[in-house]
Amino acid sequence: MAVFTEVSPADAQGLLDTLQLGELVALKGIQGGIENTNYFVTSQRDGATQEWVLTLFERLSHEQLPFYLGLMHHLAQHGVSVPDPMANAQGQYLHTVCGKPAALVNKLSGTSQLQPQSAHCAAMGEMLARMHLAARDYPGEQANLRALSWWQAVVPDILPHLDAAPAELLQAELAFQTHLHASSTYTALPRGPVHADVFRDNVMFEGETLTGVFDFYFAGVDTWLFDLCVCINDWCADLNSGVIDRQRLSALMRAYQSVRPLTSAERALFNPMLRAAAMRFWTSRLWDYHLPREASLLQPHDPQRFENVLRERIHKPLALDTWELST
């Protein structure tokens, strides 16, 4: 989240009028993230105050966005706690604000748990499995836009900005992942619509109760294992070193598999896909750091974190049977 496009109170009121949501009370830009323009919006209708999140999409097109918004609505209708996009009188979730495609969703209750413990990881694991199963019959089709083909496209632009050691690692991992993605074992991985960005700051809690998952704008059809590994690399690892906390990992995996047990192909590719998840975010953070866009409140993330995660997964690979029976 960031602010690339300044939204005026009049612009916000225009959208509220279209959606018949009452009068604007407050409008505040959201700091953090790097993709879209985001604002907190407070409205009042018939004496009741409601809180929303307004997103203006800076890179995604009108053609791509129905997949994301439809997926969020589909999950909400299937009992998964996610922001539900507000539709206009014609039933459309995608709107236009300041000439940009936009959506308005309900603001989730709670706060992000930035230092998750085992109970939070267990709640996240169960929720992620439920999301995967609930999305199976979602009819939308759109590939993960930050998957292998994107890494292959942007890595050549990143390499000139790197020192020799990280450049060598980046090229070697890209070659490894290209070979892996062509394998029959990878092809056998179950897949469907995934969030693809389930970091701890995209999930809300009240105490140890998970109240919702948000920011679906990197979602796409990909392997469920990739989505799970993105989650593990954030929720179950030290943020500086990338070292896995085995208690948190065990809690998350036990909870996930209580809803959806992993297949044999997923078990075989567990560590390689942890590497893939690290590669994805190292690549995107390098790209945003070295080739940034201008934005009010923009704070690019440090790429070093996911270089550390990738090195840790390469030098200390995780096999499921080394920890999954521990308590």
Side-chain angles (χ1 to χ4, degrees), residues 176-189 269 272-273:
F176 173 83
Q177 293 295 335
T178 299
H179 178 74
L180 173 71
H181 282 60
S183 70
S184 58
T185 308
Y186 177 82
T187 303
L189 295 175
L269 293 188
M273 292 304 289

Side-chain angles (χ1 to χ4, degrees), residues 215-271:
D215 200 357
F216 277 78
Y217 303 120
F218 283 116
V221 175
D222 206 326
T223 68
W224 289 336
L225 182 59
F226 174 79
D227 205 27
L228 177 59
C229 288
V230 168
C231 185
I232 289 169
N233 278 342
D234 182 66
W235 286 77
C236 304
D238 178 83
L239 295 186
N240 294 317
S241 67
V243 173
I244 285 288
D245 181 309
R246 292 177 182 271
Q247 286 190 333
R248 281 188 276 158
L249 178 59
S250 182
L252 191 149
M253 287 299 297
R254 285 174 181 271
Y256 184 93
Q257 293 196 95
S258 72
V259 177
R260 190 192 76 83
L262 297 190
T263 67
S264 58
E266 289 175 310
R267 295 172 70 86
L269 293 188
F270 184 64
N271 196 73

Side-chain angles (χ1 to χ4, degrees), residues 16-318:
L16 292 175
D17 290 342
T18 297
L19 300 177
Q20 300 180 358
L21 294 176
E23 299 300 316
L24 179 69
V25 174
L27 178 68
K28 181 181 179 181
I30 302 175
Q31 183 175 1
I34 52 178
E35 285 295 316
N36 302 309
T37 290
N38 292 272
Y39 282 84
F40 288 129
V41 176
T42 304
S43 67
Q44 189 172 72
R45 183 179 64 176
D46 299 329
T49 298
Q50 295 175 291
E51 294 184 301
W52 315 94
V53 176
L54 169 64
T55 299
L56 276 63
F57 301 97
E58 302 290 347
R59 282 178 165 162
L60 296 169
S61 68
H62 280 85
E63 293 72 28
Q64 294 167 329
L65 283 163
F67 174 87
Y68 305 101
L69 301 176
L71 176 60
M72 293 162 66
H73 182 66
H74 177 90
L75 291 173
Q77 293 297 108
H78 283 71
V80 180
S81 183
V82 301
D84 198 359
M86 300 302 298
N88 61 19
Q90 292 73 45
Q92 298 171 333
Y93 305 116
L94 184 59
H95 315 293
T96 301
V97 175
C98 299
K100 301 286 181 68
L104 190 74
V105 302
N106 58 297
K107 184 175 179 287
L108 298 172
S109 63
T111 57
S112 294
Q113 176 50 255
L114 300 183
Q115 295 182 322
Q117 304 302 308
S118 293
H120 304 106
C121 292
M124 185 64 250
E126 180 183 358
M127 175 63 79
L128 189 63
R130 288 179 53 216
M131 286 168 55
H132 289 164
L133 296 181
R136 283 181 301 183
D137 60 348
Y138 176 60
E141 287 288 341
Q142 184 163 284
N144 177 359
L145 300 180
R146 291 292 179 90
L148 177 66
S149 60
W150 186 79
W151 312 342
Q152 293 169 329
V154 302
V155 163
D157 295 329
I158 295 169
L159 290 173
H161 300 276
L162 303 183
D163 293 335
E168 181 180 353
L169 175 62
L170 189 64
Q171 292 177 92
E173 188 62 27
L174 181 59
F176 173 83
Q177 293 295 335
T178 299
H179 178 74
L180 173 71
H181 282 60
S183 70
S184 58
T185 308
Y186 177 82
T187 303
L189 295 175
R191 63 180 54 232
V194 301
H195 186 286
D197 191 29
V198 193
F199 280 45
R200 58 187 75 176
D201 57 355
N202 286 335
V203 181
M204 304 293 270
F205 282 87
E206 291 180 347
E208 294 181 350
T209 301
L210 196 159
T211 56
V213 179
F214 63 99
D215 200 357
F216 277 78
Y217 303 120
F218 283 116
V221 175
D222 206 326
T223 68
W224 289 336
L225 182 59
F226 174 79
D227 205 27
L228 177 59
C229 288
V230 168
C231 185
I232 289 169
N233 278 342
D234 182 66
W235 286 77
C236 304
D238 178 83
L239 295 186
N240 294 317
S241 67
V243 173
I244 285 288
D245 181 309
R246 292 177 182 271
Q247 286 190 333
R248 281 188 276 158
L249 178 59
S250 182
L252 191 149
M253 287 299 297
R254 285 174 181 271
Y256 184 93
Q257 293 196 95
S258 72
V259 177
R260 190 192 76 83
L262 297 190
T263 67
S264 58
E266 289 175 310
R267 295 172 70 86
L269 293 188
F270 184 64
N271 196 73
M273 292 304 289
L274 286 169
R275 289 170 59 173
M279 174 72 179
R280 178 265 187 258
F281 285 96
W282 188 31
T283 301
S284 63
R285 289 188 175 194
L286 286 168
W287 189 53
D288 289 320
Y289 187 84
H290 293 291
L291 301 166
R293 295 174 296 157
E294 292 184 2
S296 173
L297 305 181
L298 179 59
Q299 292 184 341
H301 295 298
D302 183 1
Q304 186 65 49
R305 173 184 168 190
F306 280 98
E307 179 182 348
N308 294 344
V309 173
L310 179 56
R311 291 186 184 276
E312 181 71 12
R313 302 295 171 267
I314 292 171
H315 298 304
K316 297 179 183 178
L318 284 170

